[in-house]
Amino acid sequence: MSALHMNSAPLLEIKGLEVTFSTPDGLVRGVNDISFTVAGGSCTALVGESGSGKSLTALSVVGLLPGNATMTAGSIHFKGRSLLEMGEGELQKFRGGEAGMIFQEPMSSLNPVYTVGFHLAEAIGKESATDIKARSIELLREVGIPDPQRRLAAYPHQLSGGLCQRVLIACALARNPSLIIADEPTTALDVTVEAQIMALLDRLKVERSVALLLVTHDLGLVAQHADKVVVAYAGYTVEEASVKQLFAEPLHPYTVALMNAMPRYDSGGEGKGGLTPIRGNIPHPAMLPPGCPFADRCDLADGDCAVAVPELRSPGQGRMVRCIKAG
Amino acid sequence: MLKASGVVKRYRVDKSRYLTALDGVDMVVEKGLTAALVGESGCGKSTLARLLLRLEKPDEGQLAFDGADLWQMTAGEVTAFRRQVQMIFQDPFGSLNPRMKVSELVGEGLVVHKIASGKVARARVEELLALVGLPRDSGDKYPHQFSGGQRQRICIARALAVEPSLLIADEPISALDVSIQAQILKLLDDIRQRMGVGVLLISHDLRVVRAVAKRVSVMYLGTVVESGPTDSVFSDPKHPYTVMLLEAVPSTDPAESRVAQAVSGDPPSPVDKPEGCPFHPRCTKAFEPCYHVIPEQVELGGGACVRCHLYR
């Protein structure tokens, strides 16, 4: 990465994000302290298991948090502008304009009673009918849908999961966004279709220099498609590093454990690489320990870890880690 | 040993059309070994599981357990068979009755099959819960009080209660978190080694299959296109579909970037399958016979088989 690139302000900057749910049992924090940046034209992966706060973070950025959840602390800046200070009109322009969003379930993200053309027209916005049609066809072609003219009249149930996801990507591209947030975009898809969709996102990143925030639990996808990785656990960012750094030398014990737990068929030996289980379970958000949330599953943990949640600190080389033992 | 040979299963779609879910499938699940079945959604993996469990009747072909035809058994033999082959489902949230306590869920099989009752049954349930690594007091709790991984442990304890010789696990870990997946796979493998049960692992995740299975069968549109020892299938895949599947799996090494260009198209609908080899519309190596002639199974030696014209 060039020095120029390092100095320029990040496209998206999330600092100390905290999201709180009000539930019948009281307030529960879904996100405790998540901070990271996304550079323009690059792919940042946000990795974590369920309950890590990764999806809530993505939803916070586009202002789609569920009704009983609110951002209770932290800030989100896009191109240097705080999203919290934007008015409703500006936010509308940002959502679906500057920032496109793709979800996990392509089949249920499209309205079953409307055609592909209707979805695209809605995304493209106020244009003349002929312009909308031309633009729709152009978008469908760009995302690799064969015979786009005919597909405009198709309903979601007539499309496969992979085609639905391509339509959604076309919708996200309609207003030439500079950021696409993809929340587990391929989890519901078969592995061959997953490869196609990821290749498409890679191509868009290069051709349109659109930045990608890839929310996923699959470290394989991260290794192959991301430039930078942010690892989340129990609502905290626990590690941030470039893909090369992270896979060469993971620092946080959770990242290390996650990598060892993954089955990997490309490892040598008997093909028995990986699959070392992490003992215990992810703590419930309402019952987080006072200290490091990973301490009771961690091999390095001792008494010091139970005192307070470690600060996110930099061990050098532009990396960040939230652990008092690592590095 | 559970064996399927030449199994065909068709479902009627409307007056004149049939969906051929399984089109001449051979499969063997042996005691004490893990066999795996992989393929994309819609290829017939779960249909085969239902047939192996004798939940549905094949239209053609044979299913046999220890040499006895599943559909020529007496009622008593069927009951005995049901005890021998147990199932673990994908969704541990949907496969446990929320109104039953864990001890009832795990102990139900003992009562149904008249293996134990009363105190003996209770002791056996406690033993089983310990075996799958659940806390001692779990028996008095309800499923909702457990996490996904713990619920899958309950399902495994329930399956083991009747001392089966085979377990059929249909995507047992795909609803679980990455850090929990390894725990459940390890538990299944421990049980296989300690109790000598055979496991049929149905999965779409090739990395998981590579890590735990001894033999693997790759399915495409209702036929097994390649089968053999896991190591040889993964290190030297023969069928172009297997090659494509393996290339599609993202490597966990950032330095090793694979070209995913070979992957193209969606699997065709099983209602109107292409003529000839079902894979030819997506195959980069298709040549004349592939368009018209369905390939026969070819033995490659070492227990490996492939169904492709390239290996005639």
Side-chain angles (χ1 to χ4, degrees), chain B residues 37 61 65 69 141 148 165 178 202 216-217 243 257:
Chain B
L37 189 58
F65 181 72
D69 190 304
K141 293 187 179 170
S165 52
V178 189
I202 299 177
V216 60
S217 301
V243 174
S257 78

mmCIF file of all heavy atoms in Angstrom, chain B residues 37 61 65 69 141 148 165 178 202 216-217 243 257:
data_model
loop_
_atom_site.group_PDB
_atom_site.id
_atom_site.type_symbol
_atom_site.label_atom_id
_atom_site.label_comp_id
_atom_site.label_asym_id
_atom_site.label_seq_id
_atom_site.Cartn_x
_atom_site.Cartn_y
_atom_site.Cartn_z
ATOM 1 N N LEU B 37 -21.207 -38.034 1.661
ATOM 2 C CA LEU B 37 -21.961 -37.802 0.439
ATOM 3 C C LEU B 37 -21.947 -36.291 0.223
ATOM 4 O O LEU B 37 -22.397 -35.548 1.087
ATOM 5 C CB LEU B 37 -23.384 -38.311 0.672
ATOM 6 C CG LEU B 37 -24.347 -38.398 -0.477
ATOM 7 C CD1 LEU B 37 -23.793 -39.282 -1.575
ATOM 8 C CD2 LEU B 37 -25.664 -38.969 0.014
ATOM 9 N N GLY B 61 -34.365 -50.652 -8.021
ATOM 10 C CA GLY B 61 -33.148 -50.877 -7.273
ATOM 11 C C GLY B 61 -33.403 -51.459 -5.901
ATOM 12 O O GLY B 61 -34.550 -51.683 -5.504
ATOM 13 N N PHE B 65 -29.834 -54.057 4.350
ATOM 14 C CA PHE B 65 -29.074 -53.886 5.583
ATOM 15 C C PHE B 65 -28.580 -55.259 6.032
ATOM 16 O O PHE B 65 -29.389 -56.158 6.245
ATOM 17 C CB PHE B 65 -29.944 -53.254 6.667
ATOM 18 C CG PHE B 65 -29.210 -53.021 7.949
ATOM 19 C CD1 PHE B 65 -28.254 -52.020 8.037
ATOM 20 C CD2 PHE B 65 -29.455 -53.809 9.068
ATOM 21 C CE1 PHE B 65 -27.553 -51.798 9.211
ATOM 22 C CE2 PHE B 65 -28.757 -53.594 10.245
ATOM 23 C CZ PHE B 65 -27.811 -52.584 10.317
ATOM 24 N N ASP B 69 -33.074 -57.354 2.434
ATOM 25 C CA ASP B 69 -33.750 -56.306 1.670
ATOM 26 C C ASP B 69 -34.697 -55.514 2.587
ATOM 27 O O ASP B 69 -35.532 -56.098 3.266
ATOM 28 C CB ASP B 69 -34.532 -56.932 0.506
ATOM 29 C CG ASP B 69 -35.038 -55.856 -0.451
ATOM 30 O OD1 ASP B 69 -35.744 -54.931 0.014
ATOM 31 O OD2 ASP B 69 -34.721 -55.948 -1.648
ATOM 32 N N LYS B 141 -33.674 -30.182 32.048
ATOM 33 C CA LYS B 141 -33.903 -28.925 31.327
ATOM 34 C C LYS B 141 -34.646 -29.164 30.016
ATOM 35 O O LYS B 141 -34.812 -30.289 29.570
ATOM 36 C CB LYS B 141 -32.558 -28.253 31.034
ATOM 37 C CG LYS B 141 -31.834 -27.782 32.276
ATOM 38 C CD LYS B 141 -30.620 -26.984 31.878
ATOM 39 C CE LYS B 141 -29.884 -26.475 33.096
ATOM 40 N NZ LYS B 141 -28.587 -25.913 32.732
ATOM 41 N N GLY B 148 -27.027 -23.969 20.257
ATOM 42 C CA GLY B 148 -27.131 -24.830 19.088
ATOM 43 C C GLY B 148 -26.225 -26.047 19.164
ATOM 44 O O GLY B 148 -26.631 -27.169 18.877
ATOM 45 N N SER B 165 -26.029 -49.252 14.888
ATOM 46 C CA SER B 165 -24.742 -49.563 14.273
ATOM 47 C C SER B 165 -24.394 -48.548 13.192
ATOM 48 O O SER B 165 -23.262 -48.483 12.758
ATOM 49 C CB SER B 165 -24.735 -50.986 13.719
ATOM 50 O OG SER B 165 -25.849 -51.193 12.890
ATOM 51 N N VAL B 178 -18.679 -21.714 13.526
ATOM 52 C CA VAL B 178 -17.419 -22.356 13.155
ATOM 53 C C VAL B 178 -16.720 -22.995 14.355
ATOM 54 O O VAL B 178 -16.232 -24.117 14.278
ATOM 55 C CB VAL B 178 -16.473 -21.324 12.504
ATOM 56 C CG1 VAL B 178 -15.263 -22.012 11.924
ATOM 57 C CG2 VAL B 178 -17.191 -20.575 11.411
ATOM 58 N N ILE B 202 -23.618 -36.423 5.398
ATOM 59 C CA ILE B 202 -24.100 -35.726 4.206
ATOM 60 C C ILE B 202 -23.723 -34.268 4.365
ATOM 61 O O ILE B 202 -24.058 -33.652 5.386
ATOM 62 C CB ILE B 202 -25.613 -35.892 4.062
ATOM 63 C CG1 ILE B 202 -25.930 -37.382 3.926
ATOM 64 C CG2 ILE B 202 -26.130 -35.108 2.873
ATOM 65 C CD1 ILE B 202 -27.387 -37.687 3.857
ATOM 66 N N VAL B 216 -15.694 -41.103 0.047
ATOM 67 C CA VAL B 216 -16.590 -40.016 -0.347
ATOM 68 C C VAL B 216 -17.285 -40.365 -1.662
ATOM 69 O O VAL B 216 -16.693 -41.014 -2.538
ATOM 70 C CB VAL B 216 -15.820 -38.681 -0.448
ATOM 71 C CG1 VAL B 216 -14.705 -38.748 -1.471
ATOM 72 C CG2 VAL B 216 -16.750 -37.518 -0.795
ATOM 73 N N SER B 217 -18.562 -39.999 -1.755
ATOM 74 C CA SER B 217 -19.305 -40.123 -3.002
ATOM 75 C C SER B 217 -19.764 -38.739 -3.408
ATOM 76 O O SER B 217 -20.320 -38.005 -2.599
ATOM 77 C CB SER B 217 -20.536 -41.016 -2.817
ATOM 78 O OG SER B 217 -20.149 -42.296 -2.389
ATOM 79 N N VAL B 243 -13.651 -31.870 -9.918
ATOM 80 C CA VAL B 243 -12.601 -30.866 -10.097
ATOM 81 C C VAL B 243 -13.179 -29.468 -9.892
ATOM 82 O O VAL B 243 -12.627 -28.642 -9.152
ATOM 83 C CB VAL B 243 -11.977 -30.977 -11.508
ATOM 84 C CG1 VAL B 243 -10.980 -29.855 -11.759
ATOM 85 C CG2 VAL B 243 -11.317 -32.344 -11.698
ATOM 86 N N SER B 257 -3.986 -18.274 -4.684
ATOM 87 C CA SER B 257 -5.246 -17.834 -5.258
ATOM 88 C C SER B 257 -5.575 -18.732 -6.437
ATOM 89 O O SER B 257 -4.795 -18.898 -7.354
ATOM 90 C CB SER B 257 -5.162 -16.376 -5.686
ATOM 91 O OG SER B 257 -4.473 -16.267 -6.892
#
